[in-house]
Amino acid sequence: MTDIQFRDDVTVELVKASATDSDVATAARVSTIGGSHDRVVDLERDEGLINFLTRDRHGSPFEHTSLTFYIEAPIFVAREHFRHRSGWSYNEESGRYKQLQPVFYVPGMERPLLQVGRPGAYEFKHGSDAHFARMASNMITAYREAYDAYQDMLAGGIAKEVARMVLPVGIFTSYYATCNARSLMHFLGLRTKSEHATFPSFPQQEIEMVASKMEDHFAELMPITHEAYNRNGRVAP
Amino acid sequence: MTDIQFRDDVTVELVKASATDSDVATAARVSTIGGSHDRVVDLERDEGLINFLTRDRHGSPFEHTSLTFYIEAPIFVAREHFRHRSGWSYNEESGRYKQLQPVFYVPGMERPLLQVGRPGAYEFKHGSDAHFARMASNMITAYREAYDAYQDMLAGGIAKEVARMVLPVGIFTSYYATCNARSLMHFLGLRTKSEHATFPSFPQQEIEMVASKMEDHFAELMPITHEAYNRNGRVAP
Amino acid sequence: MTDIQFRDDVTVELVKASATDSDVATAARVSTIGGSHDRVVDLERDEGLINFLTRDRHGSPFEHTSLTFYIEAPIFVAREHFRHRSGWSYNEESGRYKQLQPVFYVPGMERPLLQVGRPGAYEFKHGSDAHFARMASNMITAYREAYDAYQDMLAGGIAKEVARMVLPVGIFTSYYATCNARSLMHFLGLRTKSEHATFPSFPQQEIEMVASKMEDHFAELMPITHEAYNRNGRVAP
Amino acid sequence: MTDIQFRDDVTVELVKASATDSDVATAARVSTIGGSHDRVVDLERDEGLINFLTRDRHGSPFEHTSLTFYIEAPIFVAREHFRHRSGWSYNEESGRYKQLQPVFYVPGMERPLLQVGRPGAYEFKHGSDAHFARMASNMITAYREAYDAYQDMLAGGIAKEVARMVLPVGIFTSYYATCNARSLMHFLGLRTKSEHATFPSFPQQEIEMVASKMEDHFAELMPITHEAYNRNGRVAP
């Protein structure tokens, strides 16, 4: 019997970054000082400038940065992620070229399972133990059966790109995602909930798990920009 | 028992278009004649101009066009389609907001099922009746079981966005896709195979089914551009 | 002596559009109703939906629209316009391929000429008649001398792409610009000032003249979307 | 009298880069090997992979790189550069916020000044000394007069954003440009001429001067990718 793995978390690793607060300030000073300015880091002056840029939505200086992440998440999360086009690049594991591994997402016990309210104003509430059991047993069974069918087709010589059609959107995929600080802030504004947000967002919890881990790296790499982002309502400049 | 539908085709409807050969020629003449040119359609002169633009890769005039398609295709096809970012807009049926219908893709008998060769140089060959039977029975069973699990979770009050995790990438989704003639030609260059192509492409057959139907509409709306595209190796200008 | 023309206005013509409120609503309903929905126009229901989409920043449905404008404006305005990349296409009169016409921008008497305050918080005030005269006489002379030099070089056989280097950024150019309702709203948010705006903007008056004429066409084509845009602080969804 | 500077060259500095051949190969291996692959650099295997990606137009792996350039060039060059939208970010010196310096472009003696042939098939030829003299004296005079008018308006209190309207497109500007290896290769394909090119290009010499310096940095940072680019006809994958 195939060794199937169930996960209730996601993986987000920072592969590499060329992204500092100073990059933003230096690029912005091309506008006001021109090429003659030195590129010395002066954190105090940078802070005021970055806050001004964020507040008045001068977004382009934030684009001279680059962050590359390695992500493991279920396909339904990758699908939401890949909707972000502007300033994003992706490379994903291919079900045409390789056999997908039997790793599946099953929500953890703290994940609210019940949806109340109406479209556009949904809220999520925790279910009972019975709700959790019904969800988990259905998922685990469906995942196993789908993966068995996948393996049986592969064993029978069916092409990977055909056999994979039975695999559920809850199976894990892996991908590289490269963005800049501006496109990342736009993503975070839509894919996280925060008390600092001027505009409400309603992300599915699983993509918020990815976004939140990306935000941790962002806050560490660019603390001044991250702070300005929060102070200005988490609206991407 | 749920009434499940199996399809081996895709749907592509042209919802609307603002895309003619004359749009391309008129936009291009802004460069060479400026604003003083009239916008009279002169197909003979347009043909030479469009062929020149295509050959010498002056791509921007082709962008002043817009085509909106309504598409029904399996999720694994939509996933490939949505990788095209530049000059493409999408709106897709949401598994968070509505219950997905039990419509699933099963390859038809003419679909090659066997993959031979190595990564980067795959070829596809037809299988035996036994191959087809093994594929079809596995798929149909897996689809049914997945949809049953989905329905059981919904019946138990589990949120749609959670229950859908078990649904396979072979389930149909529907979406609007809007592009311009340039982004469409780029897409066709990668997602179709053609004897006219300067560069080889290796699309999965199912997205080629979508691309091919889009190309039919394109050829009808913009026959001169389509002809120039073929004549110049199906490389998007 | 060359017949030079001075203008204090800009031209914005709507060349063509495939852009209605109903396009937005129909695309949005793919998400919540899927492919089975009819595409009947129901303005009352559309209005609520469009307002909801704008408020909660569901931007993609607004992209299934296309507006093509023909614009005559000075080069310094075109330069600001062309900074807008996402969802914008351009074709501009080329100083390499044609001789540029002697049409130049001179601000009208109602144009504030004095800049007070500091970078990031400029205000503009009206000058005296002497200010206007100094500006106008300097401009007219400089424009004439530049165009004379241009013509002398052309007469001497110098290539157009070389001779044009002396032409000022105040000379008129003409271009086609195609956008969708979403990219247009983003542009308007940055390039107009309005009492409805949640965020302040500081456009140069001349690009605001272009933006304002584009907004008139937009408001006429898509009145419900335009109204929702104003009601929600002129922040592009 | 103002101290005016004339230049016949451009400046291109590499500000920073996160761009190696190994970045491309590592991103590509996500597709075929998935997340489980190590990221060890193996130049020999990378070379084959990168050549394959370039030949078969798998472009996305090349996007997980970032190069930031500081450029000084005339406005007419910046105008051509900024037409490249996809995968490019810019920040430019602003004539609204700062006084522009009196640095102007005058073609050097080796620059062909005569344009022969017809639109779409121009060729450039060297002129006589008289051609050069006529060009240079017209330019130098026109530049001086324009800058004098600019300074007179500024001295009279006219706003910078108004006074700059008389400045010619031959004046130098400075800007930051950030791109990735894919968008850079697309730019180079259109803005350089090369014996390796499958498709002909007709760049103006001055933007080719910028492109050529950018290519030098690119070739040094990513020698395997650069080699594959040349070997495959300088068509961006």
Side-chain angles (χ1 to χ4, degrees), chain D residues 167-188:
Chain D
L167 293 175
V169 296
I171 198 170
F172 271 72
T173 185
S174 62
Y175 56 99
Y176 267 37
T178 294
C179 58
N180 60 55
R182 186 187 197 180
S183 56
L184 181 56
M185 287 187 281
H186 187 79
F187 171 82
L188 296 176

Side-chain angles (χ1 to χ4, degrees), chain A residues 90-107:
Chain A
Y90 304 99
N91 259 72
E92 188 188 359
E93 190 178 340
S94 165
R96 299 185 69 200
Y97 298 134
K98 71 179 287 286
Q99 180 174 341
L100 300 183
Q101 294 306 301
V103 184
F104 297 92
Y105 181 77
V106 178

Side-chain angles (χ1 to χ4, degrees), chain B residues 2-237:
Chain B
T2 309
D3 191 20
I4 287 192
Q5 187 187 344
F6 301 107
R7 294 181 60 177
D8 62 3
D9 64 342
V10 297
T11 296
V12 175
E13 292 171 15
L14 182 70
V15 174
K16 61 172 189 160
S18 170
T20 67
D21 291 316
S22 167
D23 292 335
V24 177
T26 304
R29 290 199 180 100
V30 173
S31 301
T32 48
I33 313 187
S36 57
H37 70 290
D38 53 23
R39 291 167 200 153
V40 173
V41 177
D42 175 345
L43 287 183
E44 203 166 327
R45 283 176 54 223
D46 287 359
E47 190 164 354
L49 177 56
I50 287 170
N51 197 49
F52 159 75
L53 296 169
T54 307
R55 193 196 67 206
D56 282 5
R57 290 178 307 154
H58 294 286
S60 55
F62 297 92
E63 295 181 19
H64 302 281
T65 53
S66 177
L67 303 90
T68 299
F69 296 95
Y70 168 72
I71 296 167
E72 295 175 3
I75 283 179
F76 70 87
V77 169
R79 297 237 298 145
E80 295 192 321
H81 201 156
F82 286 34
R83 294 301 309 275
H84 296 261
R85 296 155 296 167
S86 203
W88 284 91
S89 296
Y90 304 98
N91 258 72
E92 189 189 359
E93 191 178 340
S94 165
R96 300 185 67 200
Y97 298 136
K98 70 179 287 287
Q99 181 174 340
L100 299 184
Q101 294 305 300
V103 184
F104 297 92
Y105 181 78
V106 179
M109 296 207 66
E110 79 299 340
R111 207 284 188 201
L113 296 179
L114 307 185
Q115 187 180 27
V116 295
R118 54 180 181 73
Y122 285 131
E123 281 181 51
F124 284 85
K125 294 201 170 166
H126 280 277
S128 62
D129 287 358
H131 282 119
F132 183 79
R134 190 163 182 168
M135 179 275 292
S137 78
N138 265 301
M139 279 200 188
I140 288 170
T141 305
Y143 287 159
R144 275 195 198 285
E145 286 168 343
Y147 204 77
D148 285 348
Y150 179 56
Q151 285 192 301
D152 189 69
M153 284 188 274
L154 294 180
I158 305 299
K160 289 188 282 290
E161 69 176 32
V162 174
R164 56 107 173 235
M165 296 174 192
V166 298
L167 293 175
V169 296
I171 198 170
F172 271 72
T173 185
S174 62
Y175 56 99
Y176 267 38
T178 294
C179 59
N180 60 55
R182 186 187 198 179
S183 56
L184 180 56
M185 286 187 281
H186 186 80
F187 171 82
L188 295 176
L190 290 168
R191 303 300 186 178
T192 62
K193 280 177 299 223
S194 167
E195 53 181 334
H196 301 295
T198 300
F199 299 108
S201 290
F202 309 96
Q204 180 156 349
Q205 177 173 312
E206 284 75 19
I207 194 160
E208 192 176 14
M209 286 156 56
V210 169
S212 171
K213 286 170 182 278
M214 295 176 83
E215 183 160 356
D216 291 343
H217 290 290
F218 173 50
E220 191 167 341
L221 290 164
M222 304 179 69
I224 296 175
T225 301
H226 185 252
E227 168 73 16
Y229 177 60
N230 274 328
R231 196 182 308 126
N232 289 284
R234 296 175 70 85
V235 177

Side-chain angles (χ1 to χ4, degrees), chain D residues 18-174:
Chain D
S18 170
T20 67
D21 291 317
S22 167
D23 292 336
V24 177
T26 305
R29 289 200 181 100
V30 173
S31 301
T32 47
I33 312 185
S36 57
H37 69 291
D38 53 23
R39 292 165 200 156
V40 172
V41 177
D42 176 343
L43 288 182
E44 202 166 330
R45 283 176 56 221
D46 287 0
E47 190 164 355
L49 177 55
I50 287 171
N51 197 50
F52 159 75
L53 296 169
T54 307
R55 194 196 67 208
D56 282 5
R57 291 178 306 154
H58 295 286
S60 54
F62 297 92
E63 296 182 19
H64 302 282
T65 53
S66 178
L67 303 90
T68 298
F69 297 95
Y70 168 73
I71 295 167
E72 295 175 3
I75 283 179
F76 70 87
V77 169
R79 297 238 297 145
E80 293 192 322
H81 202 156
F82 287 33
R83 295 301 309 276
H84 295 261
R85 297 154 295 168
S86 202
W88 285 90
S89 297
Y90 305 98
N91 260 71
E92 189 189 359
E93 191 178 341
S94 167
R96 300 185 68 199
Y97 299 135
K98 71 178 288 285
Q99 180 174 341
L100 299 184
Q101 293 306 300
V103 184
F104 297 92
Y105 180 78
V106 179
M109 296 206 66
E110 79 299 341
R111 207 284 190 201
L113 296 179
L114 308 184
Q115 186 179 28
V116 296
R118 53 179 182 71
Y122 286 131
E123 280 181 52
F124 284 86
K125 293 199 171 168
H126 280 277
S128 63
D129 286 358
H131 283 120
F132 182 79
R134 190 162 182 169
M135 179 275 293
S137 78
N138 265 301
M139 277 199 190
I140 288 170
T141 305
Y143 287 159
R144 277 198 196 283
E145 286 169 341
Y147 203 77
D148 284 348
Y150 179 56
Q151 284 191 301
D152 189 70
M153 284 188 275
L154 293 179
I158 305 299
K160 289 188 282 290
E161 69 175 32
V162 174
R164 56 108 173 234
M165 295 175 192
V166 298
L167 293 175
V169 296
I171 198 170
F172 271 72
T173 185
S174 62

